[in-house]
Amino acid sequence: MINPTEECQDDSEENYAKHSANLGRQMSRGLISGDRQCPHFPCHHPDQNCTFCFCPLYPCLDLELGEYVVSRRTGGRVWSCQGCLWMHRDDVAASLFNIMPKIGETGLDERTRSELKARLEGKHRKKAKTLMVLGATSGAGKSLLVAALCRAYRNRGLKVAPFKSQNMSLNSMVTGEGEEIARIQDLQARAAGARPRGELNPILLKPKGGVTSQVIVEGRPYKDCTVQEYYSQFVPKEAPAIIARNLDRLMRSNDVVVIEGAGSPAEINLRGRDVANMYVAKLAKADCLLAVNIDWGGAFAYAVGTLMLLDQEERELFKGVLINNMCPGGGSLDGSLAMVEKMTGVPVLAVLPHIPSLYLPVEDSMDLDQRQEGDGRTVVAVVRLPMISNFTDFDALSLEEGVKVLYVRTPEELEAADAIILPGTKNSVQDLQWLRESGMAQAITGSMGKVPILGICGGYQMLGRQIFDVHGLEGGGPQEMDGLGLLDAVTHFDSYDKRTVQVLGSLATGEGEVRGYEIHMGRTERSEEALFRLGPDGREEGSWNRERKVMGTYLHGAFDLPSFRRFFLSMVEHRDAPMTIGMDHDAEIDSSLDRLAAMVEEHLDLDALLREDGNGA
């Protein structure tokens, strides 16, 4: 948590005089940013701009920015800026720096301060406009619509942040501060030009099997909860404060906050327990948009049914319906659109077309069923584990010409594979049992030496000789299980500690750069050749048996840069397609985000959505 200094909590005219001379010297040196060497940094928030350590507009007496408190030193009434984040935004600080006159020992008079503040308010919101995209169903496209809105408003020069109060996903990533958030919130942060961080996704649920999930709070592992414990204890007693403080920080440090709902806002079985949809909409006083995927069929029934299941107060928050994913030649919808508004009082603001060939990650593992990435003769088979996680690790393989990525469940599907990948899993022991029961284990071991086999994270653990778990499944006591034995590696689960860190390094062969992140429990001891060298000290990571063509690593995102893609695919026999040089996963994602934002800009009145009436018609 951020702990503002006592000086910040107890601003006074005496302090103002003390700091004004220093501010003048600071201005003469030019604009600075966050002073991370300051012993009090961050006294307001981690991204703060410290150009104006002491606000030159003090005391602004604006109740949206501060409040009167009792002085800790004198006991009198004093204006406090403790909760103000506005002046510590890069854009606000830069604007004030450019328009502010030079000051001397006496600082600025009240009239000048008032004029400067009025000019700033004309350019920068003190509290963000909040928009919220909710889906009539899962798969309505709300995640990508949030990303599109974030990119579109960022392109207009606004400071934007995404937010999702609660997400359930095994597809997560690690921020620069070692915080774990859902992968889709990382994508939305990229679209917004914002730093990925825990406050964008303050509650992340990671299913562990059965009825238990790991609860991640503000990017850090918190505790395991059953469904009953989560809804009876965590949701009513802890979730509201967690959501409120993170949403409040984002609203006080951005021009626009684009919020994503979860599932449907009209799940009547969750009424009173849902903290991801209308609870957040009312908390943020957000203008809501309902997304409906017309490609699924029944779009108008979904739209009308969802809105009519809400109570009147909730329905009034909706400013429009977005008919999403309309394919060319879908026919005229004019009469149907008018009927939606007549029945619900909510207009259809836009019919958004399907955009082919977007290179963007999916969030839900259900989307992997029958999924194929790329086309060509080289088939990379990713084993579709029951508890599969971080499956976006393999998206970048489709950037290579002639590569087809398939998600497979049966031994028969592995027969045509030119390469095999065991992906991450939230439960290595449970999924290892499934491999044996399904016959997949025998099919994988039978492919040893014939095709390259890669295990990532949990997949790496399963490729080893043994797994020792002192806790056991569901805390049921110590357990030992033989791995597939394709690597001379042993994994120990002897701690609840989770390693979450971003890393940069190279192939151990020195053939190219890799980047990614580690996010795992357990430690693996190996005796074979290292696969990577990571960090400034060249730490050895991963395992590689050349003769068997078997590799294992904890590095998620290893395929994102071309080097490891080329290395892995070079072991495929009879591969005749040329290697694509220089195609960066991140650059491809940015290009797709720009296309998505341009489509939304064309079909939706974004300026109207920012108006206080929120009517984007």
Side-chain angles (χ1 to χ4, degrees):
M1 292 297 295
I2 301 165
N3 296 309
T5 65
E6 181 172 338
E7 183 175 274
C8 188
Q9 294 172 2
D10 197 14
D11 288 337
S12 64
E13 293 290 352
E14 178 184 353
N15 282 333
Y16 180 77
K18 180 173 69 174
H19 286 275
S20 60
N22 178 62
L23 176 59
R25 291 190 296 270
Q26 187 169 293
M27 291 183 67
S28 69
R29 293 196 303 266
L31 189 66
I32 64 170
S33 57
D35 182 6
R36 295 182 179 270
Q37 303 306 312
C38 173
H40 302 298
F41 183 88
C43 62
H44 282 261
H45 62 95
D47 295 318
Q48 73 187 53
N49 184 301
C50 302
T51 301
F52 299 100
C53 177
F54 188 87
C55 180
L57 304 184
Y58 180 87
C60 68
L61 306 184
D62 187 333
L63 291 175
E64 288 189 79
L65 301 175
E67 62 181 339
Y68 276 109
V69 298
V70 177
S71 172
R72 295 180 181 179
R73 283 173 278 192
T74 67
R77 193 164 176 256
V78 67
W79 183 254
S80 171
C81 299
Q82 176 180 350
C84 180
L85 309 185
W86 195 51
M87 190 52 61
H88 296 293
R89 286 171 42 174
D90 286 338
D91 52 349
V92 177
S95 293
L96 181 57
F97 184 86
N98 289 331
I99 65 175
M100 186 171 169
K102 292 183 179 180
I103 62 173
E105 296 292 335
T106 58
L108 305 176
D109 58 47
E110 182 178 349
R111 179 178 177 181
T112 304
R113 294 201 301 269
S114 179
E115 290 175 350
L116 288 173
K117 182 171 178 293
R119 292 178 65 182
L120 281 180
E121 288 179 19
K123 296 183 64 176
H124 306 286
R125 287 178 177 267
K126 292 179 292 183
K127 201 162 188 177
K129 172 73 176 184
T130 51
L131 302 174
M132 187 168 185
V133 180
L134 302 103
T137 60
S138 293
K142 57 186 177 296
S143 296
L144 294 187
L145 285 173
V146 167
L149 289 169
C150 284
R151 176 57 61 93
Y153 284 124
R154 171 204 172 188
N155 289 344
R156 293 172 171 228
L158 298 172
K159 193 168 186 291
V160 189
F163 181 75
K164 186 164 185 172
S165 63
Q166 171 198 280
N167 200 348
M168 176 177 280
S169 177
L170 285 176
N171 219 21
S172 60
M173 61 82 62
V174 177
T175 72
E177 286 71 38
E179 299 167 337
E180 185 177 357
I181 62 174
R183 186 79 184 189
I184 200 69
Q185 269 66 71
D186 173 68
L187 175 74
Q188 292 165 351
R190 181 199 300 271
R195 178 178 62 84
R197 54 200 187 275
E199 67 185 5
L200 305 181
N201 175 204
I203 301 173
L204 173 62
L205 302 176
K206 303 192 72 176
K208 298 182 68 174
V211 296
T212 301
S213 291
Q214 182 185 44
V215 182
I216 310 291
V217 173
E218 295 172 341
R220 304 293 180 185
Y222 182 52
K223 62 182 177 182
D224 290 352
C225 284
T226 65
V227 173
Q228 174 65 25
E229 291 168 342
Y230 183 76
Y231 282 112
S232 66
Q233 298 177 36
F234 182 83
V235 164
K237 297 177 182 178
E238 299 183 72
I242 294 168
I243 294 169
R245 66 174 174 255
N246 287 280
L247 178 60
D248 183 61
R249 280 201 297 269
L250 290 176
M251 290 177 63
R252 289 190 292 110
S253 55
N254 290 280
D255 294 310
V256 183
V257 175
V258 188
I259 305 169
E260 180 186 351
S264 164
E267 299 287 3
I268 55 178
N269 59 308
L270 292 178
R271 191 173 294 277
R273 299 184 295 163
D274 181 358
V275 292
N277 290 295
M278 300 315 298
Y279 171 83
V280 177
K282 288 185 277 191
L283 183 66
K285 298 179 181 178
D287 286 344
C288 296
L289 304 170
L290 182 67
V292 185
N293 187 350
I294 196 168
D295 190 52
W296 285 17
F300 296 107
Y302 284 134
V304 174
T306 298
L307 291 168
M308 297 310 292
L309 280 172
L310 300 174
D311 63 36
Q312 184 65 28
E313 179 190 7
E314 293 170 337
R315 191 158 52 249
E316 288 175 354
L317 292 174
F318 282 84
K319 304 304 176 184
V321 174
L322 304 179
I323 303 296
N324 194 26
N325 209 26
M326 183 73 176
C327 290
S332 174
L333 301 178
D334 291 345
S336 304
L337 305 185
M339 187 175 293
V340 171
E341 181 171 8
K342 181 179 180 180
M343 296 178 68
T344 67
V346 180
V348 176
L349 296 186
V351 177
L352 304 174
H354 170 74
I355 304 180
S357 305
L358 283 176
Y359 183 76
L360 292 171
V362 298
E363 180 178 25
D364 198 323
S365 60
M366 291 189 299
D367 295 328
L368 298 181
D369 295 334
Q370 309 300 320
R371 187 182 183 201
Q372 173 182 315
E373 292 291 340
D375 52 27
R377 293 179 53 192
T378 301
V379 177
V380 179
V382 180
V383 178
R384 174 69 161 84
L385 298 169
M387 297 294 291
I388 189 172
S389 66
N390 294 84
F391 44 81
T392 52
D393 284 345
F394 317 114
D395 290 352
L397 282 167
S398 65
L399 295 175
E400 299 296 332
E401 185 177 343
V403 172
K404 177 166 58 178
V405 180
L406 298 177
Y407 290 82
V408 302
R409 294 176 181 270
T410 66
E412 292 73 23
E413 292 175 293
L414 285 179
E415 292 176 1
D418 297 297
I420 297 172
I421 296 177
L422 267 179
T425 168
K426 187 57 182 171
N427 197 316
S428 300
V429 173
Q430 182 174 300
D431 276 352
L432 184 53
Q433 291 174 335
W434 176 84
L435 287 176
R436 290 198 167 96
E437 293 167 358
S438 65
M440 293 291 276
Q442 184 177 354
I444 293 168
T445 55
S447 300
M448 180 183 67
K450 302 174 185 177
V451 302
I453 300 173
L454 170 67
I456 295 182
C457 200
Y460 175 24
Q461 295 168 348
M462 290 188 278
L463 287 176
R465 287 191 290 109
Q466 285 183 309
I467 296 175
F468 295 97
D469 186 355
V470 299
H471 309 294
L473 284 173
E474 302 296 329
Q479 188 169 9
E480 176 183 339
M481 177 174 283
D482 290 336
L484 299 181
L486 301 189
L487 289 172
D488 187 15
V490 177
T491 296
H492 298 267
F493 288 97
D494 48 15
S495 168
Y496 285 111
D497 293 339
K498 177 183 281 192
R499 177 173 173 81
T500 56
V501 62
Q502 288 187 349
V503 290
L504 184 67
S506 65
L507 287 161
T509 59
E511 295 177 16
E513 184 182 63
V514 293
R515 67 167 181 244
Y517 56 94
E518 293 180 48
I519 177 170
H520 64 90
M521 299 178 76
R523 56 184 178 85
T524 299
E525 299 172 350
R526 58 163 182 85
S527 61
E528 290 161 315
E529 186 176 351
L531 188 59
F532 299 118
R533 295 186 182 278
L534 303 177
D537 58 351
R539 170 177 63 90
E540 291 187 342
E541 197 280 330
S543 189
W544 178 26
N545 188 308
R546 293 175 184 247
E547 183 179 352
R548 294 180 172 182
K549 292 187 175 181
V550 180
M551 296 160 279
T553 179
Y554 279 116
L555 186 62
H556 294 288
F559 288 123
D560 288 0
L561 294 181
S563 299
F564 187 60
R565 298 201 300 264
R566 292 198 295 263
F567 175 79
F568 179 68
L569 293 172
S570 69
M571 287 182 255
V572 174
E573 294 184 5
H574 312 301
R575 176 167 165 77
D576 52 10
M579 295 293 181
T580 305
I581 305 299
M583 294 188 73
D584 187 328
H585 167 79
D586 287 354
E588 294 298 310
I589 283 180
D590 269 330
S591 175
S592 289
L593 286 171
D594 285 336
R595 290 175 59 200
L596 195 62
M599 179 275 291
V600 169
E601 179 87 48
E602 179 182 354
H603 291 85
L604 193 59
D605 190 339
L606 299 183
D607 290 327
L609 287 178
L610 292 186
R611 291 199 295 264
E612 291 311 310
D613 61 12
N615 187 354

